[in-house]
Each structure stands twice: as C-alpha cells, then as structure tokens.
Amino acid sequence: MMPLLSIHSVHKTYRLGRVPVPVLHGVSLSVEPGEFIAILGASGSGKSTLLHLMGGLDRPDAEPRGRIEFQGRDVTTMASGELDGYRNNAIGFVFQFYHLLPEFTVTRNVLLGAMIRHGVLAYMGRRADLHSRAKELLEKVGLSHRLTHRPQELSGGERQRVAIARALMNDPPLLLADEPTGNLDHETGGKIMDSLLALRRERKLTLVVVTHDAEIARRADRVVRLLDGRVA
Amino acid sequence: MYQLALTYRYLFSKVMPLLAAVGVALCTLMVLVTWSVMSGFLGMLINTGRTLVGDVSVGWPGAGFAYYDELIVDLEKDPLVEAACPMIETFGSITPPDARPRGVLIRGVEGASYARVTQFADTLWWKPVDEPLPKDKARMDPRLDGLGKAAWSEIYKNGLSLTRPDPRTGAAMPAIVPGIHVTGLNRRYIEGYYKPLLIERRQSTGKSEWIDAFLPLDPDLPVVVTVFPIDSMGRPYEAYSRNLPVANEFQSGVYEFDQSIVLMNIDSLQEMLKMKEGLRVVDAPAAPSAQPHGESFAGAPPPATVRDPARVTNVLVKGRGDMSDPARARALRERVQEIYDRFAARHNGEVPSAADIEFVTWEEQNATFINAVRTERTLLLVLFMIISFTAVLLVLAIFWAMVREKTQDIGVLRSLGAGRGGVAWLWVCYGLAIGLVGSTVGLIGSYLIITNINPIHDWLGKQLGLVIWDPKVYYFTVIPNRVEPLDAGVVFVCGILACGLGAFIPALRAAWMNPVAALRNE
C-alpha cells in the first residue's frame, strides 16, 4: 500500500544572521494511512521543524535535495498556491499554544479553514452546511455549550479542543499536532489525547504528534526518535 | 471570505483603527469644506466679475475707435447678440471731498444701454430695500429707513442715469457712480451694510464742522475727476479736471472693481477726453516771420482740417441666453469678431483692423483675479492633500504595528492554507474599510458643516468672539459654499484609496512573513 506521506533524506538549515544552523540531517520517514506516530526528541532535535516540513509550512533545503511525498505527489516542488491548497485540504495543524484568533467566537475559529477554502459567494451558499459541521465538531469535542464564546473565555483544555475542531473542519486525512498537551496539566492533557484518538478512530485519521510526553508515546502505533536532526 | 470576517472584527474590536478612521474623517472633512468654500468663493467671483463687463468686449484702448454706433447696430442685428453698448475706459484720478486723491479706472457709459448689457442696475448700492441683509438682524442698514423710500428711489434713478439734478435749476447734471470703496468714505460693517463716514469740512468763517460724507445726497460734496486726453492719433493733451457730483455708488461684489472703478456719463467723458466728434488740424500754415502787435497775418491760408468722428475705447456685447459657460462666451466672441471684420472692411483705414483690435470674453477680461483665486484654491487643495497624506502615514504606522501584533494570527492563517495574496488582501481590505468608515463620516460631517457653515460661524462669533470670515476682509456677508457631488465623490474615493495605499506596505510585509517564524513569534 502507498504510504500517506513519505520523507526521503530531507535536510533543513536555518540561518542565524550569516551563521548556518543545520537542524535536520537527511531525515527519512514513512507515514502509513491511519497510523498514529509520535515523534520524540530533546529540545532542538528538529521535531517541530520536521512537522512543519511535513505540513508544507516550510520547505526543506534545496541542496542536498530531499523529497516529501504526500500520496505520491512531491510537496517540495509544489508552487506556492498549490502548497496553500495542500495545507488547507490535506493537513490539520494543532499547536501547543492553540493559536486561536481572539476576535472570533469559538464557532468562527472552527470555521476559519472553510472560510479560507471558499470565496464569499461559495461560503454563503454553503453557510448552513458549514455551520452545522462546525457545530457537530464542537459537540464531539464537548464544547457545544461554548459556541458563541471567545477564546479568552475558555480554559486551556477547552481552547485546545477548539483548535482540534478547527484542524478537522476541512476533513484532512493527516493531522499534525505539535506538543498538543504541552501547555496543559496532566489530566487535561490526557483528556485531549482521548478526544484526539477518538476522532482518529472515527475518521480514520492519520496522526503525527510531536511530544516530550512518554505517556502519549506509549499510546502511539509507532515512535520515531529524533536525535540531533537524525532519526535515531 | 475570511478577509471580510476578520476585517469586520478587527475594525470594531480595536481602538487604533478607529482612531485612524477619525483621522481620515477629519482629513476628508477638511478637504471637502475647504474645496466647497473656495469653489463657492470662486463661483461668486466669476458671477460678480461678469456684472460690469458684459459677455464680450471689443476694445481698442487709448485712442479708441470710431463709427461705434454703426458697429452696435450691426451687432444687435445678430441673433446671438441681445444688446451692445459703447464704453470708454481710461485711467484718471479722483479727489473726494476729504482731499485725498487716488488713481482710478474711469469708465464712461450711457446708463440705459449699459444696464441692458450688464447688471449695472443691480450693482447700485444706494436704493430702497425692504429686507435687511442676512446678518443684519438689528436692521441697522441705513437703506431700510432714514431718508425714506422716495429719496432712496431718487438716488437710485440718479445712479441709473449717471446724473444729478441741479439744486438750483433742477436740470440733469452729469455725475459719477464710483465703486463703493473708491472714495474711502463708506464704512463697511460686519453685517455687510455701509454707513458714510464723518468728515471735517471747513466753513467760510474759518471754523470747521463734522458732516456725514454721504456723497450721493449732499450737493456740496463734489468729486474732482481728472483725466488725460489723447487725440485720435494717440498724442497726449494736458490733463483735464472737472468737479462732478456723485449720483450713487455701486457694489459689484469684486473688491478690486469696487475700489478702483468710477462710472460716469459717456458724453461728459468723451468731452473731457476730446473723443467727441470734432475738427482736427492736419496741416497748419507756417508761422509768419514777424507780425507787429500780434495781429494775424491777413493773407495766410486757413489751416487744413479733417472731421474726427466720435470715438470710444470699447463696445460691450451681451449674448442671448446664459453665457456663464465660458465655451458659449467664446462662441459669441467668434461671432462678434466676424461682425467686426465686415465692419472694418467697410471702414478700411478708418478703424483698427480685426487683427489689431481686442476681442475678449468676460472670463478673459477677469482672468487675472479669477485665475488668482483658482490658483489659490488649487494651492490650498494641494496643501491640504499633502496634510491629508499624513492619514496615509497614520494608517501605515497603525497597520505596521498591527501586523506586528497580529503576527501569530498571520501564521495561523497561513497554516490553515491562506495564501500570500489572501493575507495581503486581508490587510488592504482592512485599510479600505477604515477609509470607507472615515471617508463616510467625513463626508457626512462636511455636508453638515457646509450646509450650516453660516450659523456655525455666527455661533462661534457669539460664543468665542471668533470671526474667521470677516466680511470686511473677505468681502462677502454670507460664506459662499457649493458642494459639487462629483468633487465630493472624488474626495470620498481618494480617502478610501489613500487608506488602501497606507495599508499596502504592511500588507506586503504580512504576506511575505515566514509562517513558521510568525507562529513562533511571541
């Protein structure tokens, strides 16, 4: 079976002023459909960088050239607009610090991906369907009573649930979570992971989670360890 | 879609963009109020500038041209021409009763025909009035009562005919109608009316008394008019002075006219300037070598003379219909030129050719002050637009700060699939929205101010003692205001576009932000 995402010898170097700072050194990885992978590693090992490259938020080094293929299509050679579409349709991101827009209500935050996907007329045409889907997702993460609240009125756990619902709004096959419980207490973090895994089962999602948490790693199908920018 | 939703939220959830909108509103308001007042002022000047010059003038300054009656008949036969009249224009001086001479432009006209071609009759100031001026709430205008209607009517009639009845015989004597500021003996009040000043008059006994210098009424207050005649060949004669009474005074609405022009009866001026029909010596005999007792040489031949017809320097033409459109006035000028061509062909060598003579429309005649005000209006607008450019910089600065503040949001949008163009458009949309709100508020505010500018001005005057548009300085009693919908539309759209422009650079910055760096921004 074709992997959902395959990474072949990817390098990534950042620049601090004129000083090159290599972060990834030829990372290769394959993610099968429906798989739950936990990426573990010390701070600065390149976990988040790898996640950003997988999600098309950043591009790997051109030399030496590696490849990131999603369902057989090379993400690294996609044009900018194509890459935007890839992020919008194929990927759902969940961040450690939730990154909800404070001006929007919970429902609008969830709808954001759909607003980006559709133009004004198309959005207005599907408004009812999209709102009902957003509501359904919020019900699934246990926030049906918070639809019109603003993010600042929610607890950390609730915010992260909104972020999960937002990531799933466009029904992406791959969910990338960057330390989703890193900012939460142990109990809340556990509940968040429960929600994520329940959604994964229900939607047959592929899940890649960057974490320091051994408990999360224990629940994953596979653990990938990064050490100094290499898969250990 | 997200651009509209976010723009709406950003607009009403932050104080800074609302402050920017207030800045835009003030700039829009400032430009629109200035533009409308200056346009009103210009419109008023253009209209009032036409009151004493007709629509087209045929002119040969200095010596003047002959057979003008024939030209007037020709002109009045044309369907484009409603009326025409002769005029003499010359420089001279007047010495009012306060014995302070001043240089003036003297225009000799025939009252009735001049009133047909121009709005001379309406410009005569001293006449019976029933309603006070708009700002004269206390009814202080002397024309409202005082002399009585009959006396004011008499003075008005005198003005129309440019004559005054002789106090002893009752016969009409030639008189002058100076602009109301020419003599310097009328005081203009803030409400817009005039009152004569008091002047000191020395009596035969050696004592002096203070009297009202109301020249159109007092028979003992003549004005000395001095002109400098030249003959038909342009040769100067000696200056000619004459005492003339004042029949009335005019107020055209253009200060330059009202303080420098004196109208007088054309016959009298022709006489003073030696422009009446008469004999001119062309070949004088040689002077005898010696004649005892100053007796004339009986055998000398009489001097050779020619008959010079009467001359004027101008013929003023009034077109049929509305000539406020400069293009129509120019068309009339072309027609007048054709008529003059034929007239000059009939009098070959006797009158200046059409190529030499001046044909000017009212607009060209008043070009100096119309263009000056036009230039002032443009200059003011440019200055205010430069000031308004600060709105662009204000939006730029606010957006620069907001893009910095919203860096993580930009990262989130990019992570959810928003493209660079979409993110840039979000900020430009936001700028345009601020422009729309600001310009709309500014437009409504300026409309309210412009339509109520006079009550507002009066209120400021009463409450704070502020008189911004002093009628003594600006020469209008009511602040002129004219809102051109097209101009307002241009300012409105410019306000919106200026904000879009101000948002453009921060929008580019947002668009080219690295999404990973944006998400990590704290």
Side-chain angles (χ1 to χ4, degrees):
Chain A
M1 194 167 66
M2 181 194 280
L4 184 72
L5 188 81
S6 56
I7 301 168
H8 306 279
S9 190
V10 162
H11 293 255
K12 181 66 187 175
T13 307
Y14 288 113
R15 288 196 166 271
L16 276 177
R18 290 183 180 178
V19 183
V21 180
V23 178
L24 296 178
H25 305 271
V27 171
S28 295
L29 177 69
S30 181
V31 182
E32 300 302 324
E35 199 178 9
F36 169 20
I37 295 179
I39 300 176
L40 287 178
S43 288
S45 60
K47 303 184 297 291
S48 295
T49 301
L50 180 61
L51 201 78
H52 293 148
L53 294 178
M54 290 163 89
L57 263 181
D58 210 348
R59 289 184 191 266
D61 292 348
E63 281 301 324
R65 186 177 177 276
R67 276 182 297 123
I68 299 171
E69 288 177 356
F70 180 83
Q71 293 177 331
R73 290 187 62 211
D74 191 351
V75 173
T76 60
T77 56
M78 281 182 181
S80 179
E82 218 178 342
L83 203 58
D84 296 335
Y86 167 67
R87 286 197 303 273
N88 187 247
N89 297 314
I91 306 293
F93 276 106
V94 176
F95 301 103
Q96 181 182 356
F97 296 105
Y98 335 122
H99 290 325
L100 301 176
L101 302 192
E103 286 80 11
F104 276 178
T105 59
V106 163
T107 309
R108 288 230 155 194
N109 264 292
V110 174
L111 283 166
L112 198 53
M115 288 185 193
I116 290 170
R117 177 185 277 188
H118 302 294
V120 178
L121 293 179
Y123 180 86
M124 295 313 281
R126 294 170 199 189
R127 194 171 176 274
D129 287 347
L130 293 170
H131 273 252
S132 130
R133 178 168 168 70
K135 207 172 158 187
E136 181 197 330
L137 280 167
L138 285 165
E139 270 171 22
K140 282 206 188 316
V141 295
L143 289 174
S144 56
H145 59 299
R146 298 288 211 180
L147 301 182
T148 55
H149 285 70
R150 294 284 161 88
Q152 51 273 32
E153 295 164 352
L154 306 181
S155 68
E158 286 175 321
R159 290 182 198 190
Q160 195 59 296
R161 284 164 202 268
V162 177
I164 291 167
R166 180 180 67 186
L168 296 176
M169 181 66 201
N170 284 349
D171 213 5
L174 178 58
L175 193 70
L176 303 175
D178 191 356
E179 302 197 34
T181 60
N183 206 33
L184 303 170
D185 61 63
H186 185 260
E187 191 189 339
T188 314
K191 283 181 183 167
I192 290 291
M193 277 315 295
D194 290 345
S195 295
L196 261 181
L197 292 176
L199 286 164
R200 178 206 159 208
R201 270 194 303 278
E202 186 190 316
R203 295 169 183 269
K204 298 186 173 50
L205 269 174
T206 305
L207 183 60
V208 178
V209 177
V210 163
T211 185
H212 285 109
D213 190 338
E215 179 65 19
I216 293 175
R218 195 182 56 74
R219 297 170 79 172
D221 297 335
R222 184 153 58 105
V223 174
V224 174
R225 288 179 194 280
L226 278 185
L227 185 65
D228 295 335
R230 289 183 178 85
V231 176
Chain B
M1 174 64 204
Y2 67 100
Q3 291 97 339
L4 286 183
L6 269 175
T7 294
Y8 179 78
R9 293 306 320 167
Y10 282 172
L11 196 60
F12 296 107
S13 61
K14 299 269 170 200
V15 175
M16 274 205 297
L18 289 178
L19 286 178
V22 170
V24 175
L26 288 174
C27 287
T28 308
L29 190 143
M30 181 171 67
V31 171
L32 275 176
V33 170
T34 309
W35 199 338
S36 74
V37 171
M38 288 304 285
S39 295
F41 186 37
L42 182 63
M44 190 197 76
L45 272 185
I46 288 173
N47 281 331
T48 50
R50 292 170 58 205
T51 51
L52 292 177
V53 292
D55 297 321
V56 170
S57 166
V58 181
W60 184 245
F65 60 94
Y67 308 113
Y68 56 88
D69 285 334
E70 203 179 306
L71 175 63
I72 287 168
V73 170
D74 288 355
L75 285 166
E76 289 187 339
K77 278 180 193 162
D78 192 275
L80 267 187
V81 176
E82 190 173 313
C85 73
M87 182 176 87
I88 296 173
E89 194 169 75
T90 185
F91 288 101
S93 72
I94 61 157
T95 309
D98 64 353
R100 283 187 288 188
R102 57 204 71 191
V104 290
L105 186 68
I106 299 172
R107 283 179 179 170
V109 293
E110 191 269 308
S113 65
Y114 188 55
R116 277 206 310 276
V117 172
T118 66
Q119 291 161 47
F120 162 60
D122 297 333
T123 67
L124 288 172
W125 183 257
W126 303 113
K127 58 191 167 193
V129 289
D130 297 321
E131 291 300 321
L133 294 166
K135 289 193 174 176
D136 183 17
K137 309 286 184 215
R139 299 179 65 91
M140 298 295 285
D141 191 338
R143 299 173 302 169
L144 289 164
D145 43 31
L147 295 178
K149 276 207 165 165
W152 285 121
S153 294
E154 186 65 29
I155 292 172
Y156 181 61
K157 275 184 207 157
N158 292 345
L160 281 178
S161 62
L162 293 138
T163 58
R164 276 273 291 272
D166 187 311
R168 288 173 294 279
T169 64
M173 307 184 296
I176 61 168
V177 176
I180 196 133
H181 292 281
V182 167
T183 59
L185 297 176
N186 293 303
R187 182 177 173 196
R188 182 176 162 84
Y189 285 79
I190 203 163
E191 292 83 1
Y193 60 82
Y194 293 89
K195 276 187 176 175
L197 291 177
L198 289 176
I199 57 169
E200 191 179 14
R201 182 162 59 181
R202 197 165 291 278
Q203 292 174 311
S204 53
T205 57
K207 288 183 178 174
S208 61
E209 59 171 347
W210 288 91
I211 56 158
D212 257 349
F214 187 46
L215 306 186
L217 193 64
D218 194 329
D220 296 326
L221 293 174
V223 171
V224 181
V225 178
T226 305
V227 292
F228 307 95
I230 53 175
D231 72 7
S232 63
M233 308 302 289
R235 291 173 299 206
Y237 290 98
E238 281 185 12
Y240 187 119
S241 295
R242 184 173 173 182
N243 275 355
L244 287 167
V246 173
N248 202 323
E249 288 166 298
F250 71 81
Q251 198 225 36
S252 69
V254 181
Y255 185 76
E256 283 80 353
F257 292 173
D258 296 350
Q259 58 102 33
S260 66
I261 293 177
V262 172
L263 300 173
M264 68 179 286
N265 184 282
I266 193 167
D267 285 336
S268 307
L269 190 58
Q270 269 181 327
E271 199 178 308
M272 290 170 74
L273 290 172
K274 303 192 188 309
M275 292 174 90
K276 266 193 170 317
E277 186 181 273
L279 289 175
R280 174 164 53 87
V281 175
V282 292
D283 185 17
S289 54
Q291 290 297 317
H293 314 300
E295 291 170 6
S296 65
F297 182 64
T305 57
V306 290
R307 181 161 292 276
D308 264 348
R311 290 170 286 129
V312 294
T313 58
N314 297 75
V315 167
L316 304 182
V317 183
K318 182 185 184 186
R320 202 172 289 281
D322 180 21
M323 289 284 155
S324 57
D325 177 5
R328 290 201 65 190
R330 283 195 289 275
L332 177 66
R333 183 190 61 193
E334 303 301 317
R335 179 63 63 85
V336 170
Q337 202 161 350
E338 286 167 22
I339 295 168
Y340 186 89
D341 261 338
R342 291 196 292 273
F343 164 75
R346 282 204 307 275
H347 293 282
N348 194 14
E350 295 174 312
V351 295
S353 72
D356 295 330
I357 210 149
E358 288 175 356
F359 299 92
V360 286
T361 64
W362 61 263
E363 192 194 27
E364 291 156 348
Q365 210 163 351
N366 296 332
T368 316
F369 71 85
I370 289 177
N371 288 343
V373 176
R374 268 195 188 131
T375 308
E376 277 171 29
R377 183 180 68 162
T378 309
L379 199 66
L380 264 178
L381 275 175
V382 169
L383 281 175
F384 281 134
M385 287 212 170
I386 291 170
I387 294 169
S388 300
F389 192 71
T390 52
V392 177
L393 297 178
L394 184 73
V395 171
L396 195 151
I398 287 175
F399 272 52
W400 193 267
M402 282 200 68
V403 164
R404 192 177 177 81
E405 187 194 323
K406 293 288 174 193
T407 297
Q408 279 194 345
D409 288 8
I410 293 164
V412 172
L413 290 172
R414 296 299 310 277
S415 75
L416 289 171
R420 291 186 197 285
V423 169
W425 182 233
L426 161 67
W427 293 96
V428 172
C429 254
Y430 187 22
L432 292 174
I434 286 177
L436 183 69
V437 171
S439 293
T440 305
V441 172
L443 191 71
I444 294 168
S446 59
Y447 178 78
L448 292 175
I449 289 179
I450 292 163
T451 49
N452 294 294
I453 197 160
N454 284 292
I456 291 171
H457 185 250
D458 291 348
W459 183 83
L460 283 175
K462 261 187 212 158
Q463 301 298 319
L464 309 171
L466 267 179
V467 183
I468 303 162
W469 302 92
D470 187 341
K472 284 185 278 190
V473 178
Y474 289 97
Y475 209 55
F476 41 72
T477 48
V478 176
I479 299 167
N481 54 339
R482 190 168 66 184
V483 186
E484 295 288 348
L486 186 66
D487 297 348
V490 168
V491 174
F492 180 74
V493 172
C494 283
I496 297 172
L497 293 182
C499 290
L501 186 69
F504 190 68
I505 294 171
L508 286 183
R509 182 183 173 222
W512 285 96
M513 223 169 239
N514 181 316
V516 174
L519 283 167
R520 285 181 177 155
N521 182 70
E522 285 172 16

